[in-house]
Amino acid sequence: MNKNFNKPQQNKMIDSTDALLRNSIAVTNKNKVTNNETNKNKQKKSNQKISTLQRGKISHVRNKMHSKHRLGSNVNQKQSTNQDHIEVKTKTKINPNAVRIIPLGGQEEVGRNMTIFETGNDIVLLDMGLQFPEEDMPGIDYIIPNISYLKGKERKIRAVIFSHGHLDHIGAAPILLEKLNYPLVIGSDLTLALVKNRLEDYKKGSAKKLKTLTLKNLNTSVPLGKFTAKFFAVEHSIADAVGLILETPEGSIIHPGDWTIEKNPTAGKQPITYEHLKNVKRPSILMLESLGINYNKERIPEATMMKNLNMLVEQAPGRIIIGTFSSQVERVKQVIEYAGNIGKKVALDGYSMKLNVKVSQELGYIKPHKGTLINIDQIADYPNNKIVVICTGAQGESNAVLSRIIAGNHKNIKIRKEDTIVFSSSVIPGNERSIQRLKDNLYRICDNVIHSDIMDVHTGGHSTKTEIREILNEIKPNFFIPVYANHYMLKETQKLAVEEGFTKEQVPILDNGSIFEIYQGKYKQINDTVNTDYVFVDGLGVGDISNVVLRDRQVMSSDGMLVVIATVDRKHGNLVNNPDLISRGFIYMKESKKLVEDTRKKAIEILKDEDPRTAAQQTYIKDKLRNELGKFLFQKTQRRPMILPVIIEV
Ligand SMILES: [Zn+2]
């Protein structure tokens, strides 16, 4: 996955991601009845909302059903003095000697990637990614994997391996590593540098607590209890991506993280191949990121794309402004170096863009010519045709740099007709409209706008169907588990594998929390799951936002709220004054006098004391107001504002 490296609290995550991130909202529920054609859009939105809520509920119920024998938090785990013995009281028998694969995330969505490998007293973790919030999660910064299964097992964690530095693989590291008492982390130079940066961003000084093993040489093999970790180079849209070969007592597990095959790499780079993976210790299980299964178009070779970009940089009659994902470190590097070669200056803008380039420069991945990089506030000091700006925001995110430039709100850049603007990124589903609007605005003020419909100026970091087929045939694993994608993609990948001669049983589809067990050559998915409920991060709070809070936010953001303040007699419960109404985001009261009056009348009617002999009952009155006024307002407006009764007793 391509991700930008943002400071989440600042940017609210909008400057995110890669394709397919937001397409996990299924539009399924058709319960809400609307007769009005014009309400269609609203209808669609609300359907999405309901469906996600229901999904939340479903997962909650499912988890409840399992809670008696769910592993992890609810399990009575006897602390045995003999460390060789694990006693776990669950309905399902856990075989301590089996090798278990447990994905905590990444099997039902794009993001939140994290996988547990466990046998005996040894646990190895791969990746700690975050998931970006969906549209119906107002205020949520991001979601992290739920690690309740690992509670009490911290001492068994031999290492956390990070495949590469994208946020859906390292984004949750600051929170989770701290919770797990900072186990050993393993990764390549750039990846670990990015992990450390993220830790420091989250809590100053926390990077010092990290115990790290940097993979200087991929031929290293690292013993981790009963596991041995080996590594291999992987082609992806960020430098230094590594794949994992985990040797276990039951054979090898191969996991490339995110991957692609690049047959035409840019000059000076050797193509990375995966054929050697057929030689791992058998039997082998291949866990393969399958995000690109539905890409039907052939991927554009990196070299073609770079040739086009270089040509644009060279021939731009004025300034050239390139919007891309900051995680496209490789592309950014190429542009900086090429611009330097032809004597142009490069200014970077966007928090994550500057951070990634700084880290890459420190590690020697990007070697700009002396004087090539300039500050964004220096661009006026050079002729226009000498200026290249690389910035974030090609997804139309309202706060990101490119949007600010186009809206005329950027301090240093005002677009001129002769400037060239390049969108070098894929469109994340869900962002189409913002990007469209951005382009429309741009075409009004600039003559040279380039995007992938016009020229190949983007190529993704994930493999297509053809490449998945190719790697399956090259490696010929004994088992194949598609991972790191939405459920429908996993199923499509399974279909493809069956076409290639695998049996369905050889290609299990795991959900988040599924437990896949291998013992004495036998493979099975055991009838139990571990807790993978959402853990929301909002500001400084981790896991303190529940579904209830989220639902309130959803209601308020879609239909607003109405506060009803009623003063009642404590002894008898009758209304003392006419109730006061306050609307926020529901109606504009000054222009809805009739509705306000009708609502007030209705409230008086609802609050009419039924039995003057009894005292006022707060809960009863509040519930009645909420229900009946809610019905009344829906009849009148087809909206469901949150109704907040405030009862003052006198
Ligand atoms: Zn990635």
Side-chain angles (χ1 to χ4, degrees):
M1 270 297 290
N2 308 322
K3 287 290 157 52
N4 291 335
F5 298 88
N6 289 323
K7 218 174 185 174
Q9 279 87 349
Q10 288 182 350
N11 290 350
K12 278 283 179 195
M13 285 296 137
I14 38 174
D15 177 14
S16 66
T17 67
D18 186 31
L20 302 169
L21 186 70
R22 295 194 187 279
N23 65 351
S24 55
I25 303 173
V27 183
T28 50
N29 192 291
K30 302 283 180 224
N31 289 338
K32 196 173 170 183
V33 183
T34 324
N35 302 323
N36 193 341
E37 239 342 87
T38 55
N39 276 350
K40 259 197 173 160
N41 271 337
K42 206 177 154 191
Q43 170 75 33
K44 200 173 153 200
K45 234 176 131 187
S46 112
N47 281 341
Q48 290 178 343
K49 233 166 251 171
I50 293 167
S51 78
T52 315
L53 270 180
Q54 283 190 336
R55 190 183 57 194
K57 263 191 207 153
I58 288 163
S59 86
H60 189 68
V61 172
R62 188 191 71 192
N63 286 329
K64 253 194 181 158
M65 268 160 44
H66 282 283
S67 63
K68 267 192 212 142
H69 55 110
R70 188 202 295 155
L71 308 179
S73 54
N74 298 332
V75 165
N76 297 319
Q77 197 180 321
K78 265 193 197 166
Q79 281 298 336
S80 162
T81 41
N82 178 356
Q83 283 298 309
D84 289 324
H85 254 74
I86 320 171
E87 268 187 69
V88 183
K89 272 188 194 165
T90 64
K91 271 188 186 169
T92 314
K93 256 204 165 154
I94 289 285
N95 177 354
N97 298 315
V99 172
R100 273 182 295 287
I101 300 174
I102 308 172
L104 291 184
Q107 294 299 107
E108 300 176 42
E109 63 272 296
V110 177
R112 204 160 50 122
N113 297 317
M114 181 166 177
T115 312
I116 299 175
F117 303 100
E118 182 181 27
T119 190
N121 281 319
D122 302 310
I123 291 176
V124 171
L125 305 174
L126 179 68
D127 291 340
M128 290 179 160
L130 59 75
Q131 182 189 344
F132 290 94
E134 288 167 13
E135 277 174 356
D136 55 353
M137 300 175 180
I140 300 299
D141 292 330
Y142 53 93
I143 304 158
I144 58 171
N146 187 323
I147 53 164
S148 50
Y149 177 74
L150 295 170
K151 218 173 168 194
K153 298 182 178 153
E154 293 83 355
R155 279 190 307 158
K156 297 179 179 175
I157 301 172
R158 302 294 156 240
V160 184
I161 296 162
F162 292 104
S163 60
H164 63 282
H166 283 154
L167 277 190
D168 52 341
H169 298 259
I170 66 163
I175 297 169
L176 299 189
L177 287 175
E178 186 182 33
K179 278 189 198 283
L180 298 172
N181 306 332
Y182 297 101
L184 172 72
V185 300
I186 303 178
S188 62
D189 240 348
L190 179 62
T191 308
L192 291 187
L194 291 167
V195 168
K196 279 182 195 160
N197 255 303
R198 211 169 152 77
L199 256 70
E200 281 302 295
D201 246 16
Y202 184 75
K203 217 178 251 180
K204 265 246 145 327
S206 57
K208 282 196 199 92
K209 297 181 184 157
L210 271 191
K211 293 184 283 288
T212 58
L213 193 152
T214 309
L215 298 168
K216 297 278 181 206
N217 174 357
L218 287 191
N219 293 324
T220 328
S221 83
V222 185
L224 300 166
K226 285 183 180 156
F227 296 112
T228 302
K230 295 181 174 176
F231 306 90
F232 58 97
V234 167
E235 182 71 49
H236 189 40
S237 53
I238 186 167
D240 249 13
V242 296
L244 168 70
I245 302 165
L246 195 65
E247 288 183 357
T248 80
E250 294 285 344
S252 312
I253 300 167
I254 306 167
H255 198 315
D258 289 350
W259 68 289
T260 187
I261 298 173
E262 183 58 66
K263 295 196 171 102
N264 287 304
T266 43
K269 267 178 73 186
Q270 281 300 313
I272 289 172
T273 58
Y274 304 102
E275 258 169 299
H276 59 95
L277 296 171
K278 67 171 181 274
N279 302 324
V280 300
K281 213 159 101 190
R282 296 277 171 158
S284 67
I285 297 180
L286 173 64
M287 297 178 75
L288 195 67
E289 173 256 302
S290 307
L291 194 56
I293 184 72
N294 292 328
Y295 293 174
N296 289 321
K297 275 196 263 171
E298 211 169 292
R299 225 163 39 82
I300 300 137
E302 185 88 12
T304 312
M305 192 231 14
M306 275 324 299
K307 216 174 92 197
N308 288 338
L309 266 185
N310 290 347
M311 193 186 72
L312 289 170
V313 169
E314 191 171 348
Q315 295 175 357
R319 298 173 300 188
I320 176 165
I321 298 163
I322 303 170
T324 190
F325 298 120
S326 65
S327 56
Q328 296 280 4
V329 175
E330 192 58 36
R331 185 172 313 170
V332 173
K333 162 194 157 86
Q334 302 269 347
V335 173
I336 294 175
E337 291 176 0
Y338 185 77
N341 288 345
I342 58 168
K344 294 205 177 191
K345 304 287 174 191
V346 180
L348 305 166
D349 207 8
Y351 173 81
S352 48
M353 185 65 75
K354 287 191 275 192
L355 177 69
N356 281 9
V357 171
K358 184 177 148 254
V359 171
S360 310
Q361 242 184 304
E362 280 164 9
L363 294 169
Y365 285 95
I366 299 183
K367 293 178 188 139
H369 291 269
K370 219 175 163 206
T372 296
L373 286 177
I374 57 168
N375 276 331
I376 193 80
D377 54 9
Q378 294 175 301
I379 56 173
D381 303 346
Y382 299 88
N384 287 335
N385 64 359
K386 292 285 173 209
I387 292 296
V388 182
V389 175
I390 309 175
C391 63
T392 53
Q395 293 295 313
E397 313 94 313
S398 56
N399 281 328
V401 180
L402 191 57
S403 305
R404 282 191 281 126
I405 293 177
I406 293 167
N409 296 331
H410 194 280
K411 219 170 104 194
N412 309 102
I413 306 171
K414 299 272 171 285
I415 299 226
R416 304 188 184 107
K417 280 274 178 199
E418 69 278 12
D419 288 340
T420 304
I421 318 284
V422 184
F423 288 76
S424 182
S425 62
S426 54
V427 177
I428 298 169
N431 289 352
E432 292 93 344
R433 249 197 301 172
S434 332
I435 296 179
Q436 206 49 61
R437 201 172 306 129
L438 200 68
K439 279 187 195 160
D440 282 345
N441 292 340
L442 192 51
Y443 271 81
R444 287 180 198 282
I445 51 175
C446 176
D447 288 338
N448 316 303
V449 184
I450 315 285
H451 45 86
S452 6
D453 298 341
I454 298 173
M455 193 187 275
D456 294 334
V457 283
H458 175 74
T459 179
H462 305 280
S463 293
T464 60
K465 198 171 196 162
T466 326
E467 289 157 342
I468 293 174
R469 203 188 293 275
E470 199 175 316
I471 202 169
L472 281 181
N473 283 309
E474 265 179 23
I475 302 178
K476 289 196 176 18
N478 301 82
F479 258 79
F480 171 46
I481 306 178
V483 300
Y484 287 1
N486 289 99
H487 181 75
Y488 79 93
M489 300 171 180
L490 304 181
K491 279 274 172 67
E492 286 292 334
T493 312
Q494 184 188 46
K495 262 190 220 165
L496 176 126
V498 170
E499 278 168 31
E500 294 305 304
F502 286 81
T503 63
K504 234 178 164 178
E505 292 65 43
Q506 279 175 298
V507 193
I509 302 295
L510 305 187
D511 283 330
N512 291 336
S514 293
I515 305 169
F516 189 73
E517 208 177 76
I518 314 147
Y519 185 59
Q520 294 184 336
K522 288 206 172 58
Y523 298 73
K524 66 170 182 194
Q525 190 177 329
I526 70 172
N527 186 21
D528 209 337
T529 55
V530 311
N531 183 5
T532 57
D533 288 353
Y534 281 146
V535 179
F536 296 119
V537 179
D538 179 8
L540 295 177
V542 178
D544 60 347
I545 301 291
S546 69
N547 276 339
V548 179
V549 176
L550 203 60
R551 201 160 47 225
D552 285 352
R553 287 184 184 182
Q554 288 167 359
V555 170
M556 283 191 279
S557 71
S558 75
D559 290 330
M561 69 187 272
L562 183 75
V563 184
V564 185
I565 306 170
T567 313
V568 297
D569 183 304
R570 181 176 295 131
K571 272 194 188 143
H572 307 294
N574 51 322
L575 198 59
V576 177
N577 288 323
N578 275 352
D580 282 323
L581 303 179
I582 302 168
S583 156
R584 285 290 178 271
F586 167 51
I587 47 166
Y588 185 48
M589 294 183 70
K590 276 189 184 151
E591 288 180 0
S592 316
K593 287 210 169 101
K594 172 92 175 60
L595 180 64
V596 173
E597 262 332 293
D598 289 351
T599 310
R600 204 189 312 272
K601 269 186 211 150
K602 184 73 192 174
I604 295 170
E605 192 189 312
I606 296 166
L607 289 164
K608 200 165 169 257
D609 195 15
E610 288 158 356
D611 186 355
R613 284 166 303 179
T614 55
Q617 286 187 2
Q618 285 258 2
T619 331
Y620 174 73
I621 300 175
K622 281 182 180 171
D623 280 350
K624 202 170 167 216
L625 259 182
R626 255 192 297 260
N627 291 336
E628 294 185 21
L629 211 52
K631 268 186 222 155
F632 171 80
L633 289 173
F634 184 70
Q635 258 175 13
K636 292 270 177 197
T637 63
Q638 297 279 306
R639 296 179 203 165
R640 298 184 190 278
M642 169 181 283
I643 294 169
L644 204 66
V646 179
I647 308 296
I648 302 166
E649 292 179 26
V650 290

